[in-house]
Amino acid sequence: MIGRLISKHAITQRRACALVSLQRSTCRYQAVARKKEQDLVARLKQLALRYPRFGYLRLHQLLRREGWAINHKRVYRLYKLLKLKIKLKRGRKRGGLHQRTALPPATSRHQVWALDFVHDRLVDGRQVRILGVIDHYSRECLSLCVDTSLSGLRVVRELNSLVSEYGKPSHIVSDNGSEFTSHAIQAWHASKGVQWHYISPGKPQQNGHMESLNGKLRDECLNMHVLHGLEEARSILKHWRIYYNHERPHSSLNYQTPQEFINKQRGKNKPTMMKN
């Protein structure tokens, strides 16, 4: 309107603003995008590209770790504006008729371990199986063993390797798969004095920590890579396990990584020196 008055009637900007009762400062205002906002948008895009399956809360935690003094509402606004959200497809959980005794909650590291298998295929069509092991207390992924076949004896061999590295757990949780109910597993946990806890058939939620790891492994690793061979698969899973334990913030740990949580617990348990 001010522009039309000035061009049509050849009057000054001061006169045009007075005629329409508009402050000259408002008329002269030019919207300027804040550089900090542009930098934030650019960094948010980079993180979303690097971690395409992360939601805005986890991306907010990553930004906070980098020193951005922002709250989650601002990240959510930009997250929606940039259309970074990816729809999640979750299968329906099946109910079961069996009941089980309650598993005591873990109060320390390597007290309760959970095991399960994840399946995938190589580009040549061969099926591979991945044995995952997670610690209930620290959420640390202890192992991701991959091969075309993993029998009960192979599971025992992997467990012996973990026991020699971390010590013996008091409980192990798994489903009722043939590998976990085999004679080799029965003999192993009887000889080691480890209580093996089987979940009810059709109720994977009873092994929730393992199901959570399986979902993240599938969503953030296996769906992002094409596996050309076993050696490549082992290399990819090795690096992802390091990332999972040392870089990925976990909401169940108050957005700490498992390694940060472990270090914090070690600091709490460290004995203090007595003063004379």
Side-chain angles (χ1 to χ4, degrees):
M1 185 184 296
I2 297 297
R4 289 178 61 186
L5 286 173
I6 293 174
S7 61
K8 187 174 182 179
H9 300 285
I11 59 177
T12 63
Q13 187 184 77
R14 181 192 297 269
R15 179 60 177 162
C17 289
L19 288 174
V20 298
S21 301
L22 181 69
Q23 294 289 335
R24 282 188 298 152
S25 60
T26 304
C27 179
R28 294 175 178 177
Y29 175 77
Q30 297 291 330
V32 179
R34 292 177 295 176
K35 184 177 184 300
K36 189 174 181 181
E37 184 87 353
Q38 294 174 339
D39 293 343
L40 175 60
V41 168
R43 185 55 183 156
L44 183 59
K45 286 182 178 179
Q46 290 174 357
L47 291 174
L49 183 62
R50 182 178 178 186
Y51 307 108
R53 302 304 300 179
F54 276 16
Y56 79 95
L57 286 175
R58 211 172 299 277
L59 292 174
H60 169 246
Q61 291 297 324
L62 293 178
L63 289 170
R64 289 289 299 271
R65 286 168 176 264
E66 294 179 359
W68 291 89
I70 52 175
N71 60 23
H72 66 282
K73 292 182 287 186
R74 185 177 177 190
V75 175
Y76 178 73
R77 176 177 61 81
L78 296 174
Y79 186 80
K80 294 282 286 185
L81 184 65
L82 298 172
K83 298 181 180 180
L84 299 176
K85 184 178 180 180
I86 299 177
K87 291 184 179 180
L88 299 178
K89 295 182 180 179
R90 301 191 181 277
R92 186 179 65 180
K93 293 182 178 180
R94 297 177 299 167
L97 301 176
H98 299 270
Q99 295 183 353
R100 65 168 193 149
T101 58
L103 179 71
T107 57
S108 62
R109 287 182 69 202
H110 305 306
Q111 182 180 1
V112 181
W113 290 354
L115 282 69
D116 200 8
F117 287 105
V118 177
H119 300 260
D120 206 347
R121 286 188 181 276
L122 305 177
V123 292
D124 60 7
R126 285 185 298 165
Q127 188 179 38
V128 293
R129 307 186 75 195
I130 304 165
L131 172 65
V133 185
I134 191 173
D135 177 59
H136 268 209
Y137 184 71
S138 65
R139 307 298 196 272
E140 181 184 11
C141 179
L142 305 178
S143 176
L144 289 174
C145 178
V146 57
D147 212 329
T148 53
S149 176
L150 292 171
S151 63
L153 288 173
R154 180 67 182 277
V155 174
V156 166
R157 195 167 70 192
E158 187 66 21
L159 287 174
N160 283 330
S161 176
L162 293 175
V163 168
S164 64
E165 183 175 358
Y166 299 107
K168 182 181 67 175
S170 59
H171 292 77
I172 290 181
V173 185
S174 76
D175 58 25
N176 297 269
S178 58
E179 297 84 5
F180 300 137
T181 57
S182 63
H183 292 299
I185 291 293
Q186 299 295 326
W188 182 84
H189 73 76
S191 64
K192 295 291 185 180
V194 176
Q195 298 186 40
W196 202 284
H197 191 88
Y198 294 102
I199 65 173
S200 302
K203 289 193 175 182
Q205 64 270 27
Q206 293 179 352
N207 195 6
H209 296 308
M210 196 67 236
E211 290 298 316
S212 176
L213 173 65
N214 290 348
K216 295 175 177 64
L217 174 63
R218 173 74 63 190
D219 201 27
E220 300 174 13
C221 180
L222 298 179
N223 288 349
M224 307 296 291
H225 294 89
V226 176
L227 306 179
H228 293 86
L230 278 177
E231 290 305 318
E232 182 184 24
R234 291 182 179 122
S235 176
I236 290 173
L237 289 173
K238 177 183 177 181
H239 286 90
W240 189 84
R241 188 173 76 88
I242 295 173
Y243 150 78
Y244 183 86
N245 290 333
H246 295 267
E247 296 183 32
R248 190 187 192 280
H250 292 244
S251 56
S252 58
L253 301 177
N254 195 22
Y255 290 100
Q256 301 176 91
T257 67
Q259 191 59 49
E260 288 174 341
F261 178 78
I262 292 170
N263 294 337
K264 196 171 184 179
Q265 295 301 312
R266 285 173 178 168
K268 287 182 179 180
N269 299 330
K270 187 176 181 180
T272 56
M273 299 295 293
M274 297 295 293
K275 294 183 179 180
N276 293 329

